[in-house]
C-alpha cells in the first residue's frame, strides 16, 4: 500500500508558525467570540516548592495543568465570551479546553506524521482547518463534527488499521487542550496551523484522511524498522 503513494521527504515537513504570547483568559474569550467554539476551564499549574504540580493534587498526574477538573465538564462549556471571561477571571491560570463533537472533531496523529501530512496537503492544495501541536509530540487536525466516528472505517478502506498506525478520532465526549495551555514542565500547546478567517470553514474528514493515514503508516513502518 505504501508504494502507491508519492514519497515524502523529512526535509519537506511543514513548519510551525511563530507563536504569540497571549493570556489564557484572552485566548478563551477569543475562541468563543471569534471562532464560536465552546470553551471550559480545566486544571492549572500550582507554584509549590520550586515545582508546578497540577491543581488536581495527583502527584502522578499524566496531564498536569491540562485536563478537566470535574466530571460534568461538558455541561460547564460555554460559547459566550462574557461567560468565558467570568470563568477565567475567577481562575486566570486555568487551562483552556475545547469540547470536541460540537463545532469540530479532531484527528490525532504523531507529530512526525502530522508534519509530513501537512507538507503533502499543502502540495495538494487541500483546504486545512486549524491544527494543534502538543508538548507530547502529538498533532490534532480539526475537521467537521462527525468526522471522528468515520475515521477508523475510512482508514480501513485505505488498507490500514487506524489503531495500528496511531490515528485517533476525537469527537463527542472528548475535549482538546487549546493554545496557550501548558502541560506541566513539558511546554505549551501550540498552533501548527493557527485559526484564521481563511480556515473558518473546516474540511470534512474524507478530504484529509488519505494523506494523514499514509503519513501515519509511513511512520509506523519506520518505527518497526528501527526497533528490529
Amino acid at each position: 500500500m505504501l508504494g502507491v503513494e508519492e514519497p515524502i521527504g523529512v526535509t519537506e515537513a511543514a513548519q510551525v508558525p511563530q507563536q504569540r504570547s497571549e493570556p489564557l483568559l484572552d485566548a478563551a474569550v477569543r475562541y468563543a467570540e471569534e471562532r464560536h467554539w465552546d470553551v471550559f476551564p480545566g486544571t492549572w499549574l500550582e507554584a509549590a516548592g520550586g515545582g508546578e504540580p497540577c491543581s488536581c493534587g495527583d502527584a502522578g498526574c499524566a496531564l498536569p495543568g491540562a485536563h478537566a477538573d470535574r466530571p460534568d465538564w461538558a455541561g460547564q462549556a460555554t460559547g459566550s465570551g462574557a461567560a468565558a471571561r467570568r470563568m477565567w477571571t475567577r481562575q486566570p491560570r486555568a487551562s483552556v479546553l475545547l469540547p470536541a463533537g460540537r463545532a469540530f472533531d479532531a484527528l490525532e496523529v504523531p507529530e512526525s506524521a502530522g508534519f509530513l501530512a501537512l507538507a503533502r496537503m499543502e502540495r495538494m492544495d487541500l483546504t486545512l482547518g486549524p491544527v494543534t501541536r502538543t508538548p507530547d509530540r502529538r498533532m490534532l487536525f480539526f475537521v467537521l463534527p462527525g468526522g471522528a466516528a468515520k475515521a477508523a472505517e475510512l482508514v480501513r478502506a485505505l488498507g490500514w488499521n487506524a489503531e495500528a498506525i496511531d490515528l485517533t478520532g476525537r469527537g463527542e465526549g472528548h475535549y482538546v487542550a487549546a493554545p496557550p495551555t501548558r502541560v506541566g514542565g513539558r511546554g505549551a500547546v501550540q498552533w501548527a496551523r493557527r485559526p484564521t478567517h481563511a480556515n473558518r470553514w473546516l474540511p470534512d474528514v474524507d478530504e484529509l484522511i488519505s494523506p494523514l493515514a499514509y503519513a501515519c503508516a509511513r511512520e509506523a513502518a519506520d518505527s518497526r524498522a528501527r526497533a528490529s
Side-chain angles (χ1 to χ4, degrees):
M1 186 71 189
L2 295 180
V4 302
E5 292 280 0
E6 176 188 352
I8 302 176
V10 173
T11 55
E12 299 177 33
Q15 300 299 308
V16 174
Q18 183 176 355
Q19 306 293 306
R20 67 182 183 185
S21 178
E22 182 177 30
L24 291 157
L25 183 153
D26 291 348
V29 171
R30 183 166 55 83
Y31 295 148
E33 292 184 342
E34 295 182 12
R35 296 299 294 203
H36 305 294
W37 289 340
D38 284 0
V39 298
F40 69 97
T43 55
W44 59 90
L45 298 173
E46 300 276 14
E52 290 183 299
C54 184
S55 62
C56 73
D58 180 0
C61 181
L63 292 170
H67 64 88
D69 66 349
R70 47 194 289 182
D72 61 342
W73 59 264
Q76 185 188 20
T78 179
S80 161
R85 185 174 299 279
R86 289 193 297 272
M87 289 178 176
W88 270 270
T89 296
R90 289 195 292 268
Q91 181 44 259
R93 290 177 294 166
S95 51
V96 180
L97 305 179
L98 312 174
R102 299 184 184 185
F104 66 86
D105 278 4
L107 300 179
E108 180 180 341
V109 301
E111 178 186 271
S112 52
F115 277 124
L116 292 178
L118 272 178
R120 181 172 176 78
M121 291 171 184
E122 288 170 351
R123 292 202 311 277
M124 296 169 67
D125 200 26
L126 292 181
T127 299
L128 284 171
V131 182
T132 64
R133 176 195 188 199
T134 77
D136 297 318
R137 302 183 65 82
R138 308 289 293 178
M139 290 176 71
L140 291 97
F141 290 70
F142 286 29
V143 296
L144 287 172
K150 300 192 293 183
E153 183 57 37
L154 290 171
V155 171
R156 189 177 302 111
L158 293 169
W160 292 298
N161 176 280
E163 183 177 357
I165 63 173
D166 200 6
L167 189 158
T168 305
R170 289 202 188 183
E172 188 173 357
H174 295 84
Y175 58 82
V176 303
T181 295
R182 288 178 54 211
V183 185
R186 302 172 215 168
V189 180
Q190 297 180 312
W191 289 114
R193 287 293 177 272
R194 68 174 67 257
T196 66
H197 180 74
N199 64 23
R200 181 174 296 277
W201 305 108
L202 299 178
D204 190 81
V205 63
D206 305 70
E207 301 173 58
L208 305 189
I209 201 69
S210 180
L212 278 175
Y214 169 63
C216 287
R218 273 280 304 271
E219 289 301 298
D222 289 347
S223 295
R224 288 193 299 269
R226 289 192 296 267
S228 62

